[in-house]
Amino acid sequence: MTTSETVDGAVGENAHFWPLEDLQALDFDPFLSRLMREEPIARIRLPYGDGDAWLVTRYADVKLVTTDPRFSRKALVERAVTSSSPHAIASKHAALNYADPPEVNRMRRVVARAFTGRSMQRLQPLAQRTADRLLDAMEQHGSPADLVEHLHGPFPLAVVADLLGIPEENRREMTGWANLIMSPGPAPESSKKAMATVRAAIVDLLEQRRAHPTGEDLAGVLAHATQTGELRDQEAVSLATAILVSGAHAVRNNSANMVYVLLTRPEQLARLRADRELIPQAVDELIRWIPHRSGVGIPRIAVADVEVGGVLIREGEAVYTSFLAANRDPAVFDDPDTLDFDRGPSAHMSFGNGPHHCVGSMLARMESELMLATLLDRYPRLALAVPPEQLEWQEGALIRGPKALPVTW
């Protein structure tokens, strides 16, 4: 269980040390839950970096911090703050994650051209063929088999590679690259080497698209934007790399989490088997309820004094927001700790909020819905091959998920 202790913080205040210990399965972090209810604007210190930061956990306060221009991602570029990781997972230069409006809006407008309804219609049959091919191979392997190895690992990578337009021959071992890059552990050299390899592949891909233009895939969209001056070359490379790595890694773990939840809750699984029309609504609720990450993501820097939830945050201070805690705020969600497929559409924050809302959320939903529907269609007796308590989970990972998901059918 995650615990916290109090250490001397900035400005004469106290800060809670948050060690980010691995939790059991998908247990919600009790530290986050306690702060959201008892100290929603709190000082924290994370395992890496220097100093303290604010942590904001209530829904309304998270919404304010993520939309108010007085909280800046760009101001973070030249700053070292207390952190969940010893190294930056995303590049701080020319990246969507470290831009503020209007720059972030300019980059998002370009990327959005590859995430239209028409694009999803183009990708969905490709994704379905990929899922069917992967599951055909799993059946040839025989029961029991590991769904992470056979589906949740390769499927999201294939889909985001289709989105980008990466040739088949250039996709080998990309799953390993994504996992290394998204690992926050104390060996940043491996992560940096993996990132350099991925970026080099993206540079080559964009050069190919400039030489042989196409508007069908994301690489073509980005390459064209560099030719028209909408994007700098470095920005295009950074955007493509971030979408490839985060898209492959996050959906890998989140989709495996969803299947784990259903296989350990027979009544919920039975509802989806009986009513396939419920799948989109169920996926949305699973996205809200599952604590899909460890710790917190990228902070912001206050560029002016701002009062949030009755607490004064001073200019220059770092502020983290917890979307996980906001998704469990009882002021917004009735009985928030309960997984409820009848909840209906909800304004959860699992894909972020404001200018940095995930540009790939539509794709992630499509992938998750397709995987669940395909598994339900093909395997009416799908079940875990081992007791739930015997499953191994990712250790020290930014995105939580099972290492393996052995199943029978």
Side-chain angles (χ1 to χ4, degrees), residues 39-301:
E39 193 179 353
I41 316 288
R43 298 290 296 182
I44 62 165
R45 183 170 297 175
L46 293 163
Y48 303 99
D50 300 319
D52 305 333
W54 291 102
L55 175 63
V56 177
T57 50
R58 283 190 307 204
Y59 188 98
D61 298 332
V62 169
K63 187 174 183 179
L64 171 64
V65 172
T66 53
T67 55
D68 193 311
R70 292 173 294 178
F71 295 100
S72 168
R73 283 278 185 84
K74 187 176 181 179
L76 185 65
V77 171
E78 304 303 327
R79 289 282 303 274
V81 301
T82 187
S83 172
S84 303
S85 171
H87 59 283
I89 300 298
S91 168
K92 287 190 175 183
H93 302 285
L96 186 71
N97 284 334
Y98 293 92
D100 294 329
E103 288 82 6
V104 69
N105 300 333
R106 169 178 56 83
M107 287 185 270
R108 286 180 65 92
R109 279 195 298 269
V110 173
V111 173
R113 294 170 195 159
F115 286 98
T116 62
R118 179 179 175 182
S119 296
M120 295 306 103
Q121 290 176 356
R122 177 182 72 84
L123 288 171
Q124 186 154 2
L126 295 175
Q128 187 65 65
R129 287 196 290 271
T130 297
D132 290 338
R133 172 176 53 81
L134 291 170
L135 292 175
D136 287 346
M138 185 178 78
E139 290 174 15
Q140 290 179 2
H141 171 279
S143 176
D146 175 13
L147 270 181
V148 171
E149 176 187 351
H150 289 280
L151 180 65
H152 300 294
F155 176 79
L157 175 62
V159 173
V160 77
D162 285 337
L163 172 76
L164 275 160
I166 298 173
E168 289 284 348
E169 60 270 19
N170 294 347
R171 300 182 187 188
R172 299 183 182 91
E173 299 185 9
M174 277 192 175
T175 300
W177 296 346
N179 291 342
L180 275 173
I181 291 166
M182 294 297 289
S183 297
E189 291 308 314
S190 297
S191 177
K192 289 179 181 178
K193 184 177 179 181
M195 178 64 86
T197 303
V198 172
R199 288 178 68 87
I202 293 297
V203 168
D204 289 344
L205 178 63
L206 293 179
E207 289 178 353
Q208 293 171 18
R209 285 296 182 276
R210 279 188 281 266
H212 305 285
T214 173
E216 280 295 304
D217 53 49
L218 178 57
V221 169
L222 295 175
H224 179 71
T226 62
Q227 292 176 315
T228 62
E230 287 182 276
L231 291 179
R232 297 190 296 273
D233 287 351
Q234 189 178 17
E235 288 173 335
V237 173
S238 177
L239 288 167
T241 302
I243 289 168
L244 171 62
V245 172
S246 62
H249 187 76
V251 177
R252 169 192 187 272
N253 289 295
N254 290 344
S255 63
N257 287 336
M258 290 182 190
V259 174
Y260 164 79
V261 169
L262 292 174
L263 293 182
T264 53
R265 288 168 173 76
E267 70 287 355
Q268 303 282 30
L269 181 59
R271 286 199 66 192
L272 295 189
R273 289 198 184 283
D275 183 6
R276 303 301 172 83
E277 297 298 319
L278 188 60
I279 289 177
Q281 189 169 311
V283 165
D284 192 63
E285 172 67 353
L286 286 162
I287 291 170
R288 179 200 71 87
W289 184 86
I290 291 171
H292 63 278
R293 68 166 300 127
S294 299
V296 281
I298 302 171
R300 292 165 174 79
I301 302 296

Side-chain angles (χ1 to χ4, degrees), residues 334-364:
D334 293 335
D335 196 12
D337 296 326
T338 297
L339 181 68
D340 181 6
F341 291 167
D342 294 318
R343 191 179 299 277
S346 64
H348 63 69
M349 294 189 179
S350 295
F351 291 112
N353 186 62
H356 290 279
H357 182 274
C358 176
V359 294
S361 60
M362 185 187 301
L363 180 64

Side-chain angles (χ1 to χ4, degrees), residues 329-404:
D329 189 340
V332 178
F333 303 98
D334 293 335
D335 196 12
D337 296 326
T338 297
L339 181 68
D340 181 6
F341 291 167
D342 294 318
R343 191 179 299 277
S346 64
H348 63 69
M349 294 189 179
S350 295
F351 291 112
N353 186 62
H356 290 279
H357 182 274
C358 176
V359 294
S361 60
M362 185 187 301
L363 180 64
R365 289 177 190 275
M366 183 271 282
E367 292 178 76
S368 297
E369 291 173 15
L370 187 150
M371 275 187 275
L372 288 186
T374 303
L375 288 171
L376 291 174
D377 288 341
R378 291 182 67 139
Y379 307 115
R381 297 181 180 178
L382 189 69
L384 287 177
V386 298
E389 59 271 16
Q390 291 184 16
L391 291 178
E392 292 187 51
W393 293 76
Q394 305 279 356
E395 296 176 355
L398 291 176
I399 306 296
R400 294 172 65 178
K403 289 183 180 179

